Amino acid sequence: MINGRFGAVEQAFQREPVKAVPPARETSSYYGCNVFNRDTMRRYLSSETRRVVYESIEKGATLDKSVAEHVASGMKRWAMDMGATHYTHWFQPLTGGTAEKHDSFAEPHSYGTTLEQFSGSKLCQQEPDASSFPNGGLRNTFEARGYTAWDPSSPAFILGDCLCVPTVFISYNGEALDYKTPLIRSVSAVKRAAADVLKCLGTENAEVSAYLGWEQEFFLVDSALYAQRPDLMLSDRTLLGHDSARNQQLDDHYFGSIPPRVMEFMKDLEFEGYKLGIPLKTRHNEVAPNQFEIAPVFEEMNLAVDHNLLLMSLMRSVADRHKFKVLFHEKPFNGINGSGKHCNWSLGLTDGTGLLSPGKTDEENLRFLAFMANVLKAVYDNNGLLKASIVSPSNAHRLGATEAPPAIVSVFLGMQVTSLFEELMDTEDMVKIKDKKGYSIGIHQIPELLIDNTDRNRTSPFAFTGNRFEFRAVGSSANCALPMAVLNTAVAYQLKQFKKAVDKRIASGEDAVKAVLNETRETYRACRDICFDGNGYSDEWKEEAARRGLDTETSVPVIYDQFTTEKTINAYKETGVLSEVELRARNEVAWNHYSMKIDIESRVLSDMAYNHIIPVAIRFQNVLLENVLKSRELFTREEFEKYSPQELRQIKEIADYINIARTMADDMDSMCDEFSKLEGREMAVAYHDKLAPCIEEIRKCMDMLEMIVDDQMWPLPKYRELLFIR
Ligand code: ADP
Ligand code: MG
């Protein structure tokens, strides 16, 4: 049993690193051993079954019943050989995490015996019911069932004793109740649209893929200290806590050597991750004390998202073993860097050619410029929507604060690409067609060194980094399926418009190449206002962005309106990603989630003020009062007037902070009651406008008290302890 703050500090200080389980052999010998991948399939499925499964993975075709039976039986045999006793459909409800409900393979049989069973229908579809997941009104109680259906493009895997089958989660009427469904739909939309544009450039039947490489940032806090902080436990961030005198000013944590206890954690995490086929590549210290990052090599998008979610749950369990708690919140500590999940996004041909990579030939460079212009236009037209895809009650604290990108979406292109586009704008007739094949776009060779683009701008929310865009505004706790689906949808829609415009030009007699080039020029001309390479933190940028017509809204519930504008509904409809009903339902979920998060924070803070801080502040105030009283007895009048004013002032200060905090906490309580009568958007706006500011005000009082009250009396681990003990 830990005895309060000092007991926890002592325990944390005395911890030895928990030795990581050393993998017996080299990584390649166990990599992916817990995954039903092609290697495993070769051992458990017939060649004919494998052929159909591969086709379904590559083309997204549905498996027919008899094939599903074969797959299920092979999968079951493999899982049981691996020691699994249960199976689950693993899905991504709108709560943000992942969900699973384990079923045993064992089925009761006659005469009191059991038999292990797992049929094709159980592999392909289930009804977990799961009626308590948020659905925004898509499921009335009479049709409350939700269905999960296997997504063969992400392989099954084993966690502990359970075979996990990645699935989509949909309602009785086929509406998406999860993050995976729209992601998969958006990936196919962008693939199709890109392949169509490539046709104009002379490539028939192009196989395009969407790729994602995420970088997961997080904090680690010793579990004993964590257990002494109700705010971290219940609301994932510190709701009070004065700055530590030293935090990240010295920049000495960034890329420093990873502390031994953390290193053992990382090794275990990598071991577990490799077994599940997560291609982890880099690990390092981040800027803030106790902040770290881990990133894999990029993968096909749907798989990359699954791997991120899987890794996040591995991180939680591995951290427990090492007596750490992982904080995924975007801003767990005030005043120092928050955590993001940079999403490196690109489109490429399945042969490895990047559509956002400059090439060597004119054809390749035209393709590069065309795709770049389309991405820019998509981001320009949907800058508000893209912001809506990354804001959340937690990420709102990070955007625009220390180091993080501001709450305005713009694109950093870098000098080289910008000047290329500007050059294109100035020249009317760049295409000199020599013969059918050989032509020159007349732009000087694009320097190949773009990939190691050094003029990196950390303040940009969306930056071109040589062969991909890095969406930096995404938060560390997010399911990146949401921002990725929005980006894919926006780009798919734009590519479709581009294709239509090019076709029109061709119909009116323009040569195909020239039509693409001219349309690329016009596309860029229409959206160059999205490009901004300057300092995104400055106030001038906020004003300039507003002048350019970019979305500068900062209220999270209002930003969510972007999901249901006519423009968004139209783009989602044309690309087939989500219907208007689905979009509206999602917003209901988002607003409700926002309100509940703020509601929880306010209740936790109110409790902490009343039960933890104010009693201690009063005790300390009494010590001061006692001292003043005794001084008055012992000192002469002159001495008293000389020595006691400071103390008297402090007594009054304490009284003031306590009064303000109490009044505010009471106000918050009555607001919570009042707002509980509201619904949806109205409720979220009330929480944002009226209640959230009180949380910050109370915090200020608590943090001032922390500065005044005797350190020996202070009940909660302080920032310097949470951040520097490891
Ligand atoms: P940095 O921190 O410098 O941005 P990292 O190495 O931490 O770089 O992460 C870069 C991420 O971008 C990795 O996941 C990497 O695999 C990914 N990436 C590299 N090339 C591409 C690409 N063409 N498309 C998508 N992601 C990519
Ligand atoms: Mg990065």
Side-chain angles (χ1 to χ4, degrees):
M1 184 60 203
I2 301 166
N3 198 2
R5 170 178 158 218
F6 292 103
V9 167
E10 199 177 318
Q11 194 176 90
F13 255 127
Q14 285 171 356
R15 275 205 224 281
E16 290 293 324
V18 176
K19 269 267 165 257
V21 179
R25 297 148 297 155
E26 67 278 14
T27 310
S28 58
S29 65
Y30 60 88
Y31 186 82
C33 67
N34 287 349
V35 183
F36 197 63
N37 54 22
R38 293 193 181 206
D39 263 359
T40 321
M41 286 188 207
R42 218 164 289 133
R43 285 185 281 131
Y44 287 89
L45 300 182
S46 72
S47 61
E48 177 50 23
T49 307
R50 287 202 313 269
R51 192 189 59 74
V52 183
V53 172
Y54 295 164
E55 202 177 279
S56 139
I57 294 173
E58 281 150 19
K59 307 233 163 73
T62 22
L63 290 183
D64 76 49
K65 230 172 152 219
S66 65
V67 179
E69 284 306 334
H70 284 126
V71 179
S73 128
M75 218 185 253
K76 184 190 75 183
R77 266 192 302 125
W78 167 69
M80 287 172 54
D81 285 352
M82 297 289 291
T85 52
H86 287 66
Y87 65 92
T88 186
H89 275 192
W90 185 80
F91 59 102
Q92 304 169 21
L94 297 174
T95 44
T98 54
E100 50 200 82
K101 176 184 142 211
H102 297 190
D103 279 303
S104 170
F105 283 130
E107 292 270 353
H109 205 50
S110 46
Y111 312 117
T113 54
T114 63
L115 201 68
E116 272 78 19
Q117 282 191 347
F118 183 53
S119 64
S121 60
K122 282 189 175 138
L123 164 68
C124 291
Q125 190 180 315
Q126 274 197 14
E127 281 181 33
D129 183 11
S131 48
S132 297
F133 283 115
N135 64 75
L138 284 180
R139 298 159 65 190
N140 299 322
T141 34
F142 62 91
E143 52 188 35
R145 292 199 170 283
Y147 293 86
T148 51
W150 185 33
D151 155 31
S153 63
S154 182
F157 55 89
I158 292 175
L159 260 190
D161 64 1
C162 193
L163 167 69
C164 302
V165 181
T167 57
V168 293
F169 183 40
I170 49 179
S171 78
Y172 181 76
N173 296 323
E175 284 133 348
L177 296 171
D178 64 351
Y179 286 111
K180 195 190 245 297
T181 309
L183 179 74
I184 293 177
R185 290 181 191 155
S186 75
V187 168
S188 1
V190 79
K191 281 181 175 184
R192 264 196 318 270
D196 278 350
V197 166
L198 286 167
K199 263 188 221 151
C200 311
L201 287 159
T203 314
E204 290 294 329
N205 303 323
E207 293 276 350
V208 182
S209 275
Y211 297 107
L212 163 65
W214 42 264
E215 304 163 47
Q216 179 71 53
E217 293 181 341
F218 58 98
F219 280 86
L220 287 176
V221 168
D222 185 273
S223 55
L225 296 166
Y226 176 91
Q228 299 295 316
R229 295 283 313 211
D231 45 359
L232 279 180
M233 288 176 68
L234 302 178
S235 69
D236 308 322
R237 70 170 178 127
T238 55
L239 295 169
L240 50 91
H242 200 280
D243 290 353
S244 162
R246 170 170 161 189
N247 44 51
Q248 62 187 44
Q249 310 92 319
L250 303 175
D251 278 337
D252 51 351
H253 189 253
Y254 191 49
F255 282 19
S257 63
I258 300 176
R261 246 186 97 191
V262 178
M263 196 60 201
E264 297 301 313
F265 159 79
M266 291 277 204
K267 282 192 218 164
D268 263 348
L269 180 62
E270 283 168 348
F271 181 46
E272 296 298 331
Y274 288 150
K275 285 196 283 188
L276 287 164
I278 306 174
L280 297 171
K281 187 75 181 167
T282 61
R283 55 182 187 208
H284 61 82
N285 287 3
E286 259 303 328
V287 175
N290 272 3
Q291 191 188 26
F292 306 91
E293 179 185 302
I294 188 159
V297 175
F298 69 96
E299 297 177 280
E300 191 281 313
M301 189 169 286
N302 178 33
L303 187 59
V305 169
D306 282 0
H307 278 166
N308 179 244
L309 291 168
L310 196 50
L311 188 80
M312 287 169 82
S313 65
L314 282 183
M315 286 169 83
R316 289 192 190 95
S317 59
V318 174
D320 275 345
R321 212 188 307 153
H322 289 260
K323 307 283 183 264
F324 280 126
K325 285 288 172 191
V326 192
L327 310 184
F328 286 118
H329 192 286
E330 283 79 0
K331 196 77 179 172
F333 303 100
N334 260 18
I336 56 171
N337 280 15
S339 303
K341 176 147 55 203
H342 296 177
C343 287
N344 294 271
W345 173 93
S346 74
L347 296 176
L349 299 176
T350 36
D351 69 3
T353 313
L355 296 178
L356 303 171
S357 306
K360 290 200 171 64
T361 64
D362 277 347
E363 284 99 328
E364 287 167 350
N365 284 332
L366 178 58
R367 184 180 66 204
F368 166 68
L369 289 175
F371 276 92
M372 288 294 284
N374 276 291
V375 175
L376 294 180
K377 181 74 165 35
V379 177
Y380 177 67
D381 287 342
N382 298 282
N383 69 88
L385 177 64
L386 282 161
K387 181 162 69 182
S389 77
I390 55 96
V391 290
S392 65
S394 50
N395 203 18
H397 292 287
R398 164 179 170 260
L399 297 177
T402 338
E403 214 250 356
I408 300 169
V409 171
S410 63
V411 181
F412 170 85
L413 261 193
M415 247 163 52
Q416 287 162 317
V417 183
T418 307
S419 55
L420 216 69
F421 271 114
E422 292 301 319
E423 203 176 315
L424 181 69
M425 298 261 293
D426 289 342
T427 333
E428 259 314 306
D429 192 27
M430 271 182 155
V431 193
K432 299 184 202 99
I433 305 196
K434 286 177 188 157
D435 59 47
K436 257 207 161 344
K437 280 208 177 122
Y439 61 87
S440 157
I441 31 177
I443 317 174
H444 58 71
Q445 205 60 44
I446 301 176
E448 274 181 53
L449 240 141
L450 272 175
I451 303 217
D452 253 328
N453 200 337
T454 44
D455 56 343
R456 286 232 177 163
N457 183 332
R458 289 268 149 210
T459 72
S460 178
F462 199 88
F464 182 62
T465 54
N467 60 354
R468 61 187 185 271
F469 282 92
E470 186 173 354
F471 196 2
R472 298 205 187 107
V474 183
S476 48
S477 70
N479 180 336
C480 40
L482 173 59
M484 290 298 98
V486 167
L487 183 56
N488 292 338
T489 306
V491 173
Y493 179 78
Q494 168 55 31
L495 287 169
K496 280 164 87 88
Q497 311 316 307
F498 184 84
K499 173 77 167 60
K500 280 184 211 160
V502 169
D503 285 347
K504 216 162 139 192
R505 284 176 185 273
I506 296 174
S508 66
E510 270 181 47
D511 167 88
V513 169
K514 198 164 178 173
V516 171
L517 185 70
N518 287 339
E519 194 51 37
T520 298
R521 182 189 298 115
E522 292 320 308
T523 304
Y524 175 74
R525 200 193 301 282
C527 69
R528 60 209 283 225
D529 270 353
I530 194 69
C531 300
F532 176 67
D533 284 6
N535 177 8
Y537 297 162
S538 68
D539 286 333
E540 294 85 71
W541 169 233
K542 284 186 199 137
E543 287 161 26
E544 170 63 19
R547 266 197 299 280
R548 293 187 188 188
L550 301 181
D551 191 305
T552 55
E553 179 60 57
T554 56
S555 157
V556 174
V558 177
I559 293 172
Y560 288 149
D561 288 347
Q562 292 289 333
F563 277 112
T564 50
T565 60
E566 223 183 292
K567 198 164 71 182
T568 305
I569 290 170
N570 184 36
Y572 268 78
K573 191 170 160 203
E574 195 171 325
T575 48
V577 176
L578 287 174
S579 67
E580 179 172 350
V581 175
E582 289 173 307
L583 283 166
R584 291 197 185 281
R586 268 153 207 272
N587 258 11
E588 289 304 320
V589 174
W591 281 317
N592 193 47
H593 177 76
Y594 182 88
S595 303
M596 291 310 103
K597 281 288 196 187
I598 306 293
D599 189 83
I600 291 170
E601 285 191 353
S602 74
R603 287 173 201 270
V604 172
L605 183 60
S606 192
D607 274 2
M608 287 172 83
Y610 265 108
N611 305 328
H612 291 78
I613 308 300
I614 294 177
V616 171
I618 292 175
R619 237 189 302 147
F620 181 64
Q621 192 188 33
N622 266 322
V623 173
L624 296 177
L625 282 167
E626 194 105 334
N627 193 33
V628 170
L629 281 178
K630 285 187 182 146
S631 305
R632 197 151 67 185
E633 273 172 35
L634 293 175
F635 289 166
T636 63
R637 196 187 165 88
E638 289 79 47
E639 281 170 335
F640 184 77
E641 275 169 11
K642 181 169 173 199
Y643 296 118
S644 293
Q646 294 247 21
E647 253 165 298
L648 277 168
R649 202 164 45 238
Q650 225 168 40
I651 290 165
K652 287 181 196 156
E653 254 181 85
I654 294 175
D656 276 339
Y657 293 132
I658 291 176
N659 267 342
I660 300 172
R662 271 198 185 131
T663 316
M664 285 248 162
D666 294 348
D667 285 353
M668 278 200 321
D669 286 350
S670 39
M671 275 193 248
C672 286
D673 291 343
E674 191 191 323
F675 297 164
S676 66
K677 292 178 204 119
L678 304 175
E679 273 184 13
R681 185 182 191 278
E682 208 187 342
M683 187 192 216
V685 168
Y687 269 104
H688 173 273
D689 293 355
K690 306 212 174 99
L691 208 141
C694 298
I695 295 179
E696 299 314 310
E697 285 309 307
I698 296 179
R699 176 188 192 125
K700 276 186 207 149
C701 298
M702 299 293 110
D703 290 356
M704 290 311 289
L705 288 172
E706 186 182 323
M707 295 286 274
I708 300 172
V709 172
D710 179 1
D711 180 60
Q712 290 297 308
M713 290 183 173
W714 197 256
L716 304 170
K718 294 188 168 180
Y719 269 25
R720 61 166 189 264
E721 290 149 353
L722 293 168
L723 287 166
F724 285 92
I725 298 178
R726 59 175 79 106

